[in-house]
Amino acid sequence: MKFDDYQKNAKKTIQSYGGTKEMDEIIPFLGIIGETGSVISELKKRLRDGRGGYNNYENQLKEELGDVLWYISTIASQNNLSLGEIATNNLEKINDRFTDENTCNFKIYDESFPKAEQFPREF
C-alpha cells in the first residue's frame, strides 16, 4: 500500500472530540505519545519473558506500530502534509547521511585544532 493511499483512507476515521478545533489538533499529538509507550511496552514484555515466553510479540508490535502510523497520518492530514512526501523526504535525508558510501565523507570539524583541543574520536 502506498502512504498516500493509507493517509486518504485513514483520514476518513479522524474524529472530532467535541471540543475546539485546537483540541482536535492536540489530541493526536497526545495519542502518538501514548501509542509510542505501547510500542515500548511490547519490547519490555519480550525482554522480560524472553522470545519463547512471549509468543505474541510480532502481532502485538504490528498492531501498536499501526496505531502510531495512524496518529502520524492524522497529524499530517490535519496540517495538509502528504504522508508519501514525508516518507520520500525522510528517505532522501537518511540516505544522504547514513549510507555506507557517505560514511567516509563525514567532516571532522576539529581536525585542524591542536590534539589537546580535539574531541576524542571514540567515546
Side-chain angles (χ1 to χ4, degrees), residues 16-65:
S16 176
Y17 299 100
T20 64
K21 184 177 185 226
E22 285 178 331
M23 185 64 73
D24 289 345
E25 291 177 354
I26 291 170
I27 295 293
F29 283 93
L30 299 175
I32 200 170
I33 293 168
E35 292 302 336
T36 301
S38 296
V39 169
I40 299 301
S41 182
E42 291 307 316
L43 175 62
K44 179 217 42 157
K45 291 175 191 175
R46 191 185 82 187
L47 292 172
R48 179 193 64 204
D49 300 340
R51 290 184 185 269
Y54 185 46
N55 297 326
N56 205 23
Y57 173 72
E58 286 80 14
N59 289 330
Q60 288 300 116
L61 185 60
K62 273 194 271 188
E63 182 177 331
E64 299 303 339
L65 288 172

Side-chain angles (χ1 to χ4, degrees), residues 110-122:
D110 63 354
E111 194 169 40
S112 63
F113 288 61
K115 196 83 167 153
E117 295 180 14
Q118 293 181 1
F119 281 108
R121 295 300 177 242
E122 290 186 22

Side-chain angles (χ1 to χ4, degrees), residues 69-94:
L69 180 59
W70 185 87
Y71 279 110
I72 291 170
S73 175
T74 297
I75 293 167
S77 293
Q78 289 176 333
N79 290 281
N80 299 313
L81 301 172
S82 159
L83 201 54
E85 187 178 340
I86 292 167
T88 299
N89 290 347
N90 181 257
L91 280 177
E92 288 172 4
K93 179 181 83 173
I94 62 175

